[in-house]
Amino acid sequence: MRSVADHARAVADLFSPTPVESVAIADALGRAVVDDVRAAVSLPGFDNSAMDGYAVRAAEIADATADTPTRLTVTEDIYAGRTDRLRLDPDTAHRIMTGAPLPEGADAVVAVEATDGGVDEVAIATPVAEGTSIRRAGSDIAAGDTALTAGTVLHASQVGLLAALGVAQVRVHEPFHVVVLSTGSELMAPGVDLDHGQIYESNGAMLCAAVREAGGRATPVHFVPDDVEQFRARLDTMITGGGRVDLILTSGGVSAGAYEVVKDALAGHGVEFVKVAMQPGMPQGCGTYSAADGVSVPIVTLPGNPVSAQVSFEIFVRPPMRAAMGLPADRTRRRARLTDDMRSPRGKEQFRRGVVAVDAEGTASVHPIGPPSSHHLRFLASANALIDIPADTDDVAAGSTVEVILLEP
């Protein structure tokens, strides 16, 4: 059997970086910038007030007290957005709002709470040091500085920074486009009544969600019957339909049974089917499929049991897909203390569902949940981690330290 690491490399070799496009920053959320982004302007762009109050010369109010306040004539009201350049004359104050530009000659702002709030004349009851409550130009970022480095993923705060710098568009990798096919004549759409032997189709919805969660775009192709010719025809239609397809992802039909439509349709057509030394997820396939018109597309075939399909996606597909979009592999691996004894089939790397908890001291523990069988989807839905047990291990005692893959970024 092929090792997990070897199959991961075989799958990763199928992935290529997606094209680069320039998009509005609002449309780039969750995507990684391709280039360093340099600030074209400084933030702040001018000295401004950090609070509502009065712009003053600090030396003129040095002797102010509550009993003997310093009184200054208020000669201007400066509101945020005022664009004329003002100068503060000696023995005067300007009433100023948060974010408003500081007048020339002022070197401090007194909070309105330290005054009587006067409009024509203000009584200031406390001295302040030079620079108090002033946001200096460029104190956040100076023009020419690197605002974001290449590879930075854009979340809300990064979008806010770009907007503040006047950046309208950024260059990012296009999302990875995945066609997700679910095979099986037994599969039915939710909402219909099931006959004996039929089940509701879940892998397509789950894998499409996994692709989107990872930053890609998914096109589902539902209810492909267990017929080789129909399966190939559906594949060719998706590949030659005009839209970009970076990967075809299938689930089911890859085992050793008599009606394995994916395996029967693709074996000898550029796809290699192997047994991988893992549990769940032993039957796997990958390669490059050529459509009838000669167009070739990478394809990864996952097993049909839902836990096997989702675990296989996490281990083999998600990391190279994110790398192709310039995104970091955001699943964290860490060590955790096992709360219960576990058994694992020697010779296979096991991925068990678990719940990781971290105590007040930062020590992580992991509680395995559910049996190892690949149809127990309920326990996968309850897990926040996969427990990675090496292939050369069969018994793991409670209290042992194990490696876990956190399923929550």
Side-chain angles (χ1 to χ4, degrees):
M1 288 191 287
R2 177 182 283 177
S3 72
V4 170
D6 285 344
H7 191 65
R9 282 189 287 270
V11 172
D13 286 343
L14 300 173
F15 288 72
S16 300
T18 59
V20 173
E21 61 178 346
S22 183
V23 301
I25 59 173
D27 297 327
L29 192 67
R31 295 161 73 176
V33 295
V34 174
D35 313 301
D36 287 351
V37 179
R38 296 194 177 276
V41 297
S42 295
L43 293 180
F46 48 85
D47 293 349
N48 69 82
S49 178
M51 62 177 56
D52 295 339
Y54 296 85
V56 299
R57 287 179 166 86
E60 293 181 349
I61 62 169
D63 298 326
T65 67
D67 294 331
T68 58
T70 299
R71 297 183 180 277
L72 300 173
T73 301
V74 178
T75 57
E76 291 284 353
D77 273 350
I78 311 176
Y79 53 86
R82 187 166 175 174
T83 59
D84 53 335
R85 296 180 181 273
L86 299 174
R87 178 173 180 80
L88 181 69
D89 293 328
D91 300 317
T92 67
H94 289 180
R95 193 165 63 155
I96 192 167
M97 309 304 142
T98 302
L102 196 71
E104 184 181 348
D107 57 19
V109 172
V110 180
V112 68
E113 293 82 1
T115 75
D116 65 353
V119 176
D120 299 316
E121 182 184 76
V122 62
I124 299 173
T126 183
V128 295
E130 287 187 16
T132 298
S133 299
I134 294 175
R135 301 166 177 161
R136 294 297 182 187
S139 58
D140 185 4
I141 187 170
D145 286 352
T146 299
L148 298 175
T149 57
T152 299
V153 180
L154 297 182
H155 300 295
S157 56
Q158 289 79 24
V159 170
L161 174 60
L162 294 177
L165 291 170
V167 176
Q169 292 193 317
V170 290
R171 289 184 356 114
V172 293
H173 281 284
E174 293 184 21
F176 207 83
H177 290 240
V178 183
V179 171
V180 178
L181 279 79
S182 297
T183 63
S185 297
E186 77 280 13
L187 303 179
M188 303 299 293
V192 304
D193 294 331
L194 297 178
D195 289 333
H196 181 68
Q198 294 179 329
I199 61 174
Y200 291 120
E201 198 279 322
S202 61
N203 281 1
M206 178 173 62
L207 292 173
C208 282
V211 169
R212 293 167 185 145
E213 183 184 61
R217 290 181 182 167
T219 302
V221 180
H222 294 298
F223 317 122
V224 181
D226 287 332
D227 179 89
V228 168
E229 295 306 318
Q230 290 188 56
F231 178 81
R232 286 186 190 150
R234 189 72 67 89
L235 267 186
D236 289 354
T237 298
M238 294 306 302
I239 293 171
T240 61
R244 198 180 90 226
V245 179
D246 297 313
L247 177 73
I248 296 167
L249 188 64
T250 72
S251 63
V254 296
S255 193
Y259 299 99
E260 305 295 345
V261 63
V262 175
K263 194 173 186 179
D264 293 343
L266 300 180
H269 292 269
V271 181
E272 180 185 18
F273 293 91
V274 297
K275 293 181 178 180
V276 177
M278 66 185 292
Q279 185 189 59
M282 183 176 68
Q284 302 281 343
C286 66
T288 302
Y289 174 76
S290 295
D293 65 353
V295 177
S296 297
V297 176
I299 186 168
V300 174
T301 65
L302 305 179
N305 279 319
V307 176
S308 296
Q310 182 62 17
V311 169
S312 298
F313 178 89
E314 287 287 340
I315 302 303
F316 300 126
V317 180
R318 180 184 171 99
M321 187 179 77
R322 285 183 61 83
M325 296 182 287
L327 297 170
D330 62 351
R331 297 302 195 206
T332 299
R333 285 181 176 259
R334 68 169 298 168
R335 307 292 287 176
R337 181 182 59 81
L338 191 64
T339 62
D340 301 83
D341 294 339
M342 280 183 57
R343 288 193 59 80
S344 183
R346 182 173 288 273
K348 291 184 179 180
E349 187 171 351
Q350 188 182 60
F351 298 92
R352 285 284 293 275
R353 282 72 77 197
V355 175
V356 171
V358 181
D359 63 22
E361 285 73 41
T363 302
S365 61
V366 59
H367 172 60
I369 58 172
S373 301
S374 57
H375 66 285
H376 290 285
L377 187 57
R378 173 169 66 97
F379 293 106
L380 181 62
S382 301
N384 65 2
L386 296 176
I387 307 169
D388 187 352
I389 306 299
D392 60 357
T393 303
D394 48 17
D395 287 300
V396 188
S400 301
T401 299
V402 294
E403 186 170 71
V404 296
I405 305 167
L406 302 181
L407 298 179
E408 299 170 351

